[in-house]
Amino acid sequence: MAGILQRRAFASLGSDCELFAIGAGEAALAEAEAWTRRMHDRLTRFSGTSEVSRLNAADGRWLEVSGELESLLRVALDAHERSGGLVNAAVLPALEAAGYS
């Protein structure tokens, strides 16, 4: 038996987000939204207290990071290596110079 398609829309990550699930229930969609918001709060560069902001402020010094951020950094490094440098997550100075604040 096929479940009912459920949709949940919300704003996060600087964008409009939509979650879709079949047979997961409203509680599961609410938890997925909450997780997305938590990750945004931890990983946004637009909050001085986020993990990414602390990493940027470390300015090359060693900093212990969460498993989630470590995983994201590993994916970014892998993409950089595989693309021969075309994919580069370390573009903050260029973004700021272009006025993206």
Side-chain angles (χ1 to χ4, degrees):
M1 176 175 148
I4 296 173
L5 177 66
Q6 294 177 284
R7 174 184 172 270
R8 186 176 189 102
F10 58 98
S12 187
L13 309 167
S15 185
D16 294 328
C17 299
E18 290 182 284
L19 299 170
F20 295 91
I22 296 175
E26 180 59 30
L29 288 173
E31 178 53 30
E33 178 182 344
W35 180 88
T36 302
R37 291 181 184 283
R38 283 192 308 273
M39 290 300 103
H40 171 266
D41 291 345
R42 287 179 58 196
L43 302 174
T44 182
R45 75 175 185 93
F46 296 108
S47 166
T49 60
S50 76
E51 191 172 7
V52 165
S53 290
R54 288 193 310 272
L55 179 62
N56 287 336
D59 197 28
R61 294 183 307 275
W62 284 99
L63 178 74
E64 187 172 336
V65 299
S66 68
E68 291 89 354
L69 182 53
E70 179 185 357
S71 293
L72 289 171
L73 292 171
R74 289 185 186 280
V75 167
L77 288 171
D78 184 57
H80 186 264
E81 289 174 14
R82 289 175 183 247
S83 71
L86 293 174
V87 175
N88 186 350
V91 296
L92 180 59
L95 287 172
E96 290 176 333
Y100 183 63
S101 59

